[in-house]
Structure formats: C-alpha cells, structure tokens
C-alpha cells in the first residue's frame, strides 16, 4: 500500500512538472493530452462559447478540432469537406473566429471565366460545416499562373476580416489588387480594386508593404513603389499610405510620405482608433547613380495623422556600431558595411510611453534541387530563423536603444510541393504584408522556430526554443545551432528599460517536457497566449502568461 501511494505521488509530481513550467516571468500550463492525435494542429483560430477552435492537418486533409476551454480536452474532430464550386473542390485558405462565429475560407480558380474566387462557410459550435456559405471574391485574372493569392488579416477586435487579393498581369503589364472588409455575418462592408500600370517603367518595384484595419473599421494599405531613371541617374520612390475611413464611406485617400536619397525595404504598420498610424521598418541608402544599395542602413519611423492627411513624423536612424558588430562582426562593422536584407519584421509592440518596439528576425528559406521521377519530385527545404534585432523607438521617432537576441534555429524537411505563393513572369511585384509560413508547411518542423514576445509593465520578454548547450549564453558568436527541435528547451530573453538583456533558462528540464511551437498560437490578451506543445506522440494545448 505504501509503495502504491509513493508511486501515485511520484506520478502526480511528474505530472505537475510536465504540465506546469516557469521561464523567468512566464508561466506555462498544459491541459490534457490529446488522445488518438494523428492530426497535427497548425492554427489556433480562437476561443468562443467556452471552446477553443483549431485547424489540424494530416497528409493533404484538413480538420477542425474543438477543445474544452477549461481543461483543454478534445471535444470533436471533423474533416473539412467544402462543397464543389463550379465542379472544383476549393483549396483551403484560412480559419477564423469572428465575434463567436467560426468560418473557413477556400479559394477556387475558374479556368473558363478566368476568375479567382474566395468562398466562406460558417462552422457550427461542434466543428461541423453549416449551410451558411457565401462567395466573398470573384476577381478577374488572366490565367492560372497569374491567378495571384489571397492575404487575410483579423481586426484588432476579432470581429472583422480584412482580405486582400493581389495578382500580376505580366503580358498587360498591370498590377492589380483588391481589398475587402468582411463582418461576422459575411457581409462585405468595404471593397476597393486598384490597377497599377508599369508599361513604361521596366525597373519598377512595387510592394504592398502592409495592410490593416483598426477598431473604427478604417482600412489602411501601405504601398512602396520605386524605379530608377537610368538616364537621369535618379531613384524615384513613392511611399504612400492609402486610407479608407468608415466615417467617410470608405472613400480612398492618399497620404504621400516624401523623402530623398533613401529606399524603403519593408514596413510594419500600427493603426490606432485615434487616427494615428505608425509606420516602422528598414531602409537602405541610394548611390550617386540613383541605384539603391538594397542593404539595411537602419530603421525609419513615421507617424501619419489620417484625419488631417498629414505626416507628423519621419525619422531615419542608422544602425549604431554595437548593433552592427553583433550582426556583421567587428571587422565588417569597422569597414562601414551594411546589414544584408535577410531580416523580416517579426512584431511591432506598442510601448506604454507612446513609442514602439520593432522585432526583426533573420529568415532564410533554402529550396534544394528536386529529385525523383516524373511528377513524383521530392524537394528538400530548409528553414533558418536566427537572431532577432530588437529596436526600441521613442515617441518622437528616435531610437531609444537597440539590441540583438542571439539564436540559431534550423528545420529541414522534404516535400512534393513547396507551397509558397508566387507571381509569374516578374519578381518585382511583392506582397510583403503576406510573408508568412504557409499552413501546408506547418507540421513539418518550421512551427518550432521563431519566437513569441510578451510586453507588460514596460518590460519586453521574448520566448523561443533553444539548444541546451546555449544555457546562459548571450554572446552571438558562441551560440550553437538548434537543429533537432524535438530536443529543444524554452529560453527567454528579458529587456529592461535601457535595453540591457538578461537570459533566463529553465534548469529543471525533464526529458518528458513538451516543446513549444511558437508559430502555432492564439493571443487571447496582451499578456496571455493559447499555445500548442508536443514531444514525439504527445500533444497538448496550453496557456502561456506573465506571472
């Protein structure tokens, strides 16, 4: 009897260790183990009606898995089988919970009509498809290779969907994008289509840098258009914020953000309900002959007042020497070299003092040479997510401090299809706002990479998976690779008000401990996330929050 009691106590103790863990100020608790879990969760759509709704995949099929909010136990699993549209099965695009209602979205290319269509179907509380379905987009395109792609964002109130479709008409030399705002009844609140010709500008580079919607249902699109006049040896840069205010009937208004001798590389937007939009990102210098260097010179910060259509602020801040040493090494930093453009804007955090913190992560995707016979070609793909540049920007646009989170992460797999949206014919048209890891790739390793930031009481904490050999290491030159993500352990970097960095490691790591998947989460509040963790065949949902 004593032995049984001791065994029971040991099992309970092990359960507590496995299901609750603390990393610095962050606590993680997990729910019940997901039994018979052949489907891997790739998206946590949201929480409503005492339930958590997720998207899972197994091979080429998608499933809706519904969980109890209290103990996170599995309630139901249902395969997604949308009705054919014009004799063709829709391709899955996204899942979303809008104000307590859940929807799935699928796209169909109509070859005969040369149209790109987007369909939405409501899901019942038990995770099954209902008869409430609606066609949201019917956009004219030219052919299958130029059908473009859909990009989807949720509103900050989680009650709207902002959907963008973008396509390149190579032969006609036209760029087309269409944006719509959808409410939780699948009503189209706003719609706008734009065509940009580039027939006389062969060097044109056009980027939809970001798009967003605020609490007032105002819609914003940032476009970055540049081309070089070879004859005049000048660089022409058009950096604009297009606004569609709900109070103004969603009429298009344009705000020009003017500057010279610089080129915008990317942009992250933060729109509030008071008519202020902050734009932050990287920029490069321009040579005397008008050609942009394309490498990262530093960080710019701009504030636009959309009510007065005025640019209140625009500042360009070069990287300081210490930051460049961490990114380039001392020798290259002394020679004045610029940073390679391999960093994507990861997150933009609103600070309590009115400023922002920009997180930019090194990201590289290597697609190897395919091998195989006929259509059965296997392509090796490697995802690399390394250091994160953290830049704290004051309310006036100047840099308060900058630092670099040292990490080296890698995940490799083989696939029959790459799964990344691409535009045929001309690589000078990009949609930076839609840069993300596709759903079809999650579940193969990349979901363990990257990081999750939490900001509370003026302190930024960034959580990520790391190699146990990196315990206590903050020198970027000493960091070891995380190659086997199944053996990863969580680590946290904490920043004080001066940008000083403190690394926190969990020392009581157990072999049975679950591994966090940073790319599969749902932010339920500014300081709390619903997460998905696993190790081998064991999978659990959990909650992560600040202590």
């Amino acid at each position: 009897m004593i032995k049984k009691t001791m065994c029971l106590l040991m099992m309970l103790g092990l359960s507590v260790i496995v299901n609750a863990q603390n990393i610095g100020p962050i606590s993680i608790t997990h729910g019940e183990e997901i039994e018979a879990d052949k489907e891997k969760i790739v998206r946590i759509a949201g929480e409503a009606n005492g339930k958590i709704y997720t998207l899972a995949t197994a091979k080429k099929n998608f499933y809706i898995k519904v969980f109890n909010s209290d103990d996170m136990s599995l309630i139901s699993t249902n395969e997604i089988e949308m009705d054919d549209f014009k004799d063709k099965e829709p391709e899955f695009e996204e899942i979303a919970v809008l104000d307590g209602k859940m929807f799935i979205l699928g796209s169909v290319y109509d070859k005969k009509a040369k149209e790109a269509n987007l369909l939405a179907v409501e899901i019942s509380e038990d995770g099954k498809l209902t008869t409430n379905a609606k066609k949201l987009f019917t956009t004219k395109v030219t052919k299958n290779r130029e059908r473009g792609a859909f990009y989807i964002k949720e509103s900050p109130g989680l009650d709207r969907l902002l959907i963008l479709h973008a396509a390149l008409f190579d032969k006609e030399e036209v760029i087309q994008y269409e944006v719509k705002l959808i409410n939780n009844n699948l009503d189209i609140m706003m719609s706008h289509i734009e065509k940009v010709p580039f027939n006389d500008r062969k060097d044109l580079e056009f980027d939809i840098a970001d798009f967003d919607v605020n609490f007032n249902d105002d819609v914003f699109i940032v476009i970055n258009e540049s081309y070089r006049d070879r004859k005049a040896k000048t660089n022409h840069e058009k950096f604009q914020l297009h606004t569609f205010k709900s109070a103004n009937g969603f009429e298009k208004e344009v705000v020009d953000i003017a500057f010279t001798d610089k080129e915008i590389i990317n942009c992250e937007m933060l729109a509030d309900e008071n008519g202020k939009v902050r734009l932050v990102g990287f920029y490069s210098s321009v040579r005397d002959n008008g050609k942009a260097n394309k490498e990262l010179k530093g960080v710019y910060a701009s504030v636009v007042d959309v009510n007065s259509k005025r640019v209140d602020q625009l500042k360009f801040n070069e990287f300081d020497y210490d930051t460049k040493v961490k990114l380039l090494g001392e020798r290259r930093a002394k020679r004045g070299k610029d940073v390679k453009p391999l960093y994507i804007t990861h997150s933009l955090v609103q600070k309590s003092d009115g400023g922002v913190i920009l997180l930019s992560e090194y990201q590289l995707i290597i697609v190897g040479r395919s091998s195989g016979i006929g259509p059965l070609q296997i392509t090796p793909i490697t995802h690399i997510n390394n250091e994160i540049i953290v830049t704290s920007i004051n309310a006036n646009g100047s840099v308060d401090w900058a630092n670099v989170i040292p990490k080296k992460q890698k995940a490799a797999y083989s696939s029959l299809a790459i799964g990344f949206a691409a535009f045929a014919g001309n690589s000078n048209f990009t949609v930076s706002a839609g840069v993300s890891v596709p759903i079809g790739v999650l579940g193969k390793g990349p979901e363990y990479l990257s990081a999750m930031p939490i900001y509370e009481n003026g302190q930024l904490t960034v959580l990520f998976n790391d190699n146990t050999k990196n315990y206590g290491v903050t020198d970027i030159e000493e960091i070891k690779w995380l190659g086997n993500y199944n053996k990863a352990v969580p680590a946290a970097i904490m920043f004080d008000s001066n940008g000083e960095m403190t690394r926190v490691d969990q020392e009581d790591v157990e072999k049975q401990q679950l591994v966090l998947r940073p790319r599969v989460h749902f932010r339920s509040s500014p300081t709390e996330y619903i997460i998905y963790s696993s190790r081998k065949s064991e999978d659990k949902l959990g909650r992560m929050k600040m202590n």
Side-chain angles (χ1 to χ4, degrees):
M1 182 67 181
I2 294 176
K3 287 184 178 180
K4 288 184 178 180
T5 303
M6 289 297 293
C7 288
L8 180 60
L9 288 172
M10 288 176 67
M11 289 176 66
L12 288 172
L14 180 61
S15 176
V16 171
I17 291 172
V18 172
N19 287 285
Q21 52 192 114
N22 293 289
I23 307 99
I26 296 176
S27 66
I28 299 175
T29 56
H30 289 106
E32 294 185 4
E33 181 180 351
I34 305 171
E35 300 291 344
D37 189 36
K38 65 178 181 179
E39 307 88 15
K40 298 301 178 183
I41 294 173
V42 294
R43 186 82 85 228
I44 301 174
E47 189 172 14
N49 313 310
K51 298 173 183 177
I52 299 171
Y53 297 93
T54 70
L55 173 73
T57 182
K59 296 182 179 180
K60 293 184 178 180
N61 299 323
F62 290 99
Y63 302 82
I64 295 169
K65 298 176 82 75
V66 184
F67 295 84
N68 187 299
S69 289
D70 293 330
D71 59 9
M72 297 192 169
S73 59
L74 180 64
I75 296 175
S76 65
T77 301
N78 296 283
E79 185 175 354
I80 296 175
E81 295 181 304
M82 296 181 70
D83 293 336
D84 286 357
F85 178 78
K86 296 190 176 181
D87 300 323
K88 195 170 182 180
E89 183 181 357
E91 294 182 15
F92 183 85
E93 291 284 348
E94 191 55 275
I95 181 173
V97 176
L98 300 179
D99 205 18
K101 296 181 180 180
M102 186 172 69
F103 301 93
I104 60 168
L105 285 79
S107 63
V108 172
Y109 170 68
D110 186 342
K111 184 178 180 180
K112 186 176 181 180
K114 295 183 179 180
E115 293 174 339
N117 298 277
L118 185 69
L119 316 168
V121 181
E122 187 175 358
I123 304 299
S124 64
E125 281 193 30
D126 59 1
K128 296 179 181 179
L129 274 70
T130 69
T131 57
N132 182 21
K134 188 173 182 179
K135 183 171 64 175
L136 303 179
F137 272 77
T138 299
T139 303
K140 281 287 184 182
V141 293
T142 57
K143 51 189 174 184
N144 189 32
R145 290 179 64 244
E146 294 180 353
R147 70 184 184 276
F150 289 97
Y151 305 91
I152 302 164
K153 283 193 175 184
E154 294 178 337
S155 68
L158 302 180
D159 56 352
R160 306 280 191 264
L161 279 183
L162 185 62
I163 307 174
L164 175 79
H165 177 269
L168 171 68
F169 298 168
D170 193 34
K171 190 174 181 180
E172 290 84 353
E173 296 185 323
V174 169
I175 296 163
Q176 176 181 288
Y177 59 95
E178 184 174 8
V179 62
K180 293 186 179 184
L181 183 64
I182 314 295
N183 68 14
N184 67 331
N185 292 318
L186 299 181
D187 299 321
I188 298 173
M189 303 173 61
M190 168 267 182
S191 180
H192 177 79
I193 190 167
E194 189 91 18
K195 293 188 177 183
V196 181
F198 61 96
N199 52 307
D200 293 327
R201 297 175 291 174
K202 299 297 182 182
D203 291 333
L204 174 70
E205 295 179 356
F206 186 90
D207 180 33
I208 301 176
D210 204 359
F211 69 109
D212 206 355
V213 57
N214 67 7
F215 280 103
N216 298 332
D217 293 333
D218 301 326
V219 174
F220 308 95
I221 301 176
V222 179
I223 67 105
N224 180 26
E225 181 180 325
S226 65
Y227 72 97
R228 180 187 175 217
D229 187 331
R230 297 185 181 183
K231 197 171 183 180
K233 294 183 178 181
T234 55
N235 183 66
H236 295 264
E237 188 87 3
K238 182 190 289 185
F239 190 45
Q240 295 180 332
L241 176 67
H242 295 181
T243 68
F244 305 85
K245 290 181 286 189
S246 59
N248 199 25
F250 296 108
E251 182 181 342
K252 177 186 172 183
E253 298 176 335
V254 177
V255 179
D256 280 295
I257 305 167
F259 52 87
T260 58
D261 301 327
K262 295 174 182 65
E263 183 170 86
I264 298 297
I265 300 296
N266 53 28
C267 177
E268 191 80 12
M269 172 169 45
L270 187 63
D272 64 27
E273 64 269 30
N274 299 317
K276 300 287 186 178
V277 177
R278 296 199 72 122
L279 307 175
V280 182
F282 292 127
Y283 72 95
S284 79
S285 57
V286 175
R287 303 174 194 172
D288 292 338
N289 62 3
K291 190 174 183 179
N293 288 314
K294 300 299 182 184
E295 297 187 334
L296 310 182
K297 192 74 175 177
V299 175
Y300 69 89
S302 179
V303 176
V304 176
D305 186 327
V306 297
N307 294 320
S308 62
K309 294 188 288 185
R310 182 183 67 241
V311 179
D312 289 345
Q313 178 191 111
L314 179 60
K315 288 193 176 182
F316 293 88
N317 306 280
E318 289 191 21
F319 287 124
D320 60 41
Y321 177 75
D322 290 340
T323 301
K324 293 183 75 171
V325 167
K326 293 175 182 177
L327 299 174
L328 301 172
E330 188 173 1
R331 184 176 63 86
R332 291 177 59 81
K334 283 183 177 180
R335 292 170 57 192
K337 296 294 184 180
D338 289 332
V339 179
K340 295 294 182 183
L342 298 174
Y343 295 84
I344 63 167
T345 50
H346 178 285
S347 304
L348 189 60
V349 180
Q350 178 77 58
K351 293 197 297 181
S352 52
D353 62 3
V356 292
I357 299 177
L358 175 68
L359 282 76
S360 308
E361 186 173 30
Y362 179 102
Q363 178 170 290
L364 184 63
I365 300 172
I366 302 171
V367 181
R369 180 177 296 178
S370 300
S371 61
I373 301 174
L376 300 177
Q377 296 279 323
I378 301 295
T379 303
I381 302 171
T382 302
H383 289 248
I384 296 175
N385 286 77
N386 287 352
E387 67 272 6
I388 297 177
I389 306 172
V390 183
T391 309
S392 177
I393 300 172
N394 294 315
N396 65 4
S398 63
V399 171
D400 182 18
W401 54 261
N403 215 325
V404 178
I405 296 175
K407 69 179 182 71
K408 290 183 178 180
Q409 301 173 318
K410 184 189 300 182
Y413 60 94
S414 295
S415 177
L416 285 170
I418 296 175
F420 294 96
F423 295 96
N426 194 316
S427 61
N428 288 347
F429 174 33
T430 55
V431 183
S432 297
V435 174
S436 62
V437 177
I439 286 178
V441 169
L442 295 178
K444 298 179 180 180
E447 66 274 16
Y448 291 95
L449 310 185
S450 198
M452 299 174 65
I454 299 181
Y455 181 81
E456 186 179 27
N457 297 327
Q459 179 178 290
L460 174 69
T461 304
V462 181
L463 185 71
F464 57 95
N465 289 324
D466 206 357
N467 191 326
T468 54
K469 294 180 180 179
N470 291 326
Y471 273 14
V473 179
T474 56
D475 186 344
I476 195 169
E477 299 294 333
E478 302 297 325
I479 288 292
K480 308 294 184 187
W481 279 97
L482 171 66
N484 187 350
Y485 46 80
N486 286 310
K487 295 183 179 180
V489 292
I493 296 290
M494 301 167 56
F495 295 90
D496 65 16
S497 58
N498 297 316
E500 293 299 320
M501 198 164 58
T502 301
R503 179 179 173 122
V504 180
D505 293 292
Q506 185 181 347
E507 296 183 359
D508 57 343
V509 175
E510 298 290 327
K511 289 184 178 180
Q512 302 91 342
Q513 185 169 293
L514 302 182
V515 182
L516 180 72
R517 300 189 183 201
R519 280 189 164 130
V520 184
H521 68 265
F522 175 77
R523 190 185 183 199
S524 53
S525 78
T527 59
E528 183 173 331
Y529 291 82
I530 300 174
I531 60 172
Y532 175 53
S533 305
S534 63
R535 182 176 290 276
K536 296 183 178 179
S537 60
E538 186 178 4
D539 297 315
K540 294 182 179 182
L541 289 184
R543 295 187 188 274
M544 184 182 82
K545 61 182 180 180
M546 298 290 285
N547 290 326

